[in-house]
Amino acid sequence: MIRVLIADDQALLRGSFRLLIDSEDDLFVVGEAADGQQAVTLTRTESPDVVLMDVRMPEMDGITATKQIAGDARVLILTTFDLDEYVYSALRAGASGFLLKDAPPDDLLKAIRVVASGETLLAPRVTTRLIAEFVRRPVQQVFQQVFQGLDTLTDREREVLTLIAHGLSNAELSDQLQVSPGTVKTHIGRLLAKLQARDRAQLVIAAYEGGLVTPR
């Protein structure tokens, strides 16, 4: 069972998410939080696998809450393109993926499963577009190890990193590079180690901040 915590200040939305999630045999809602502080507290007491996190909430916003719980649970951020200003901060805070609030129910269920499995949800429609928008603005370099790590990458690893930053999935990488899925996972593992990145989301940041990918 995948344990899910729902954090959103709208009770009706929380209830809708709960009904949908609990209808699945492999998903189970362990709690609901109306603000970021409750999300932090419930994460520590209920040990969810995935926290479905809204951004704008009272008491404590979703970004601050994500910073506090990212090491204890995978965080799936609820976002709209109206909240673009928060996305880059959410990645830095440790979010594992993004879901549009108007996404179809099946997409929500798939996103929860993807994030719970350890993958990062980086759909080109959501993440790549939003990150590209934000790297146009000056940002504080918090991943200083990225630049040293980039110097150690092979040409192939740089190619893989660039494709990841463009939003390609493992299956798409396998097709694009004409290598096996196992080889793709090996490349990604080496990138994570060399760049000291926690997950795929931080690899995307590394590609942009290291200059391998620039906004169009």
Side-chain angles (χ1 to χ4, degrees), residues 180-194:
S180 69
T183 300
V184 169
K185 290 183 178 180
T186 297
H187 283 312
I188 293 175
R190 289 173 179 167
L191 286 170
L192 292 171
K194 289 184 177 181

Side-chain angles (χ1 to χ4, degrees), residues 31-167:
E32 298 179 20
D35 58 58
Q37 185 58 63
Q38 289 182 15
V40 173
T41 300
L42 286 173
T43 296
R44 292 169 178 168
T45 59
E46 301 299 329
S47 301
D49 300 301
V50 176
V51 178
L52 197 59
M53 183 77 76
D54 190 18
V55 175
R56 289 183 174 176
M57 293 185 291
E59 302 299 329
M60 179 187 292
D61 63 73
I63 305 301
T64 303
T66 296
K67 289 180 181 178
Q68 297 191 27
I69 68 177
D72 300 319
R74 307 278 292 179
V75 178
L76 180 60
I77 295 287
L78 292 169
T79 185
T80 69
F81 285 127
D82 293 334
L83 298 179
D84 284 2
E85 63 195 271
Y86 296 106
V87 173
Y88 205 71
S89 297
L91 276 175
R92 291 181 179 278
S96 297
F98 299 92
L99 183 72
L100 294 178
K101 279 196 169 183
D102 61 355
D106 285 347
D107 286 359
L108 169 61
L109 299 173
K110 178 182 178 181
I112 292 171
R113 294 183 177 107
V114 167
V115 168
S117 72
E119 293 286 336
T120 300
L121 192 71
L122 293 175
R125 179 184 170 218
V126 180
T127 308
T128 305
R129 170 181 165 181
L130 298 182
I131 293 175
E133 173 65 25
F134 278 93
V135 294
R136 291 187 175 94
R137 310 176 186 182
V139 293
Q140 180 183 2
Q141 300 292 351
V142 298
F143 291 102
Q144 297 298 333
Q145 75 272 11
V146 163
F147 301 100
Q148 294 179 352
L150 285 174
D151 292 339
T152 70
L153 300 184
T154 65
D155 291 341
R156 189 60 148 182
E157 288 166 348
R158 284 173 175 264
E159 181 182 11
V160 173
L161 180 59
T162 300
L163 293 174
I164 288 174
H166 283 299

Side-chain angles (χ1 to χ4, degrees), residues 27 75 103 170 187-188 199 204:
L27 304 177
V75 178
N170 281 15
H187 283 312
I188 293 175
D199 55 27
V204 174

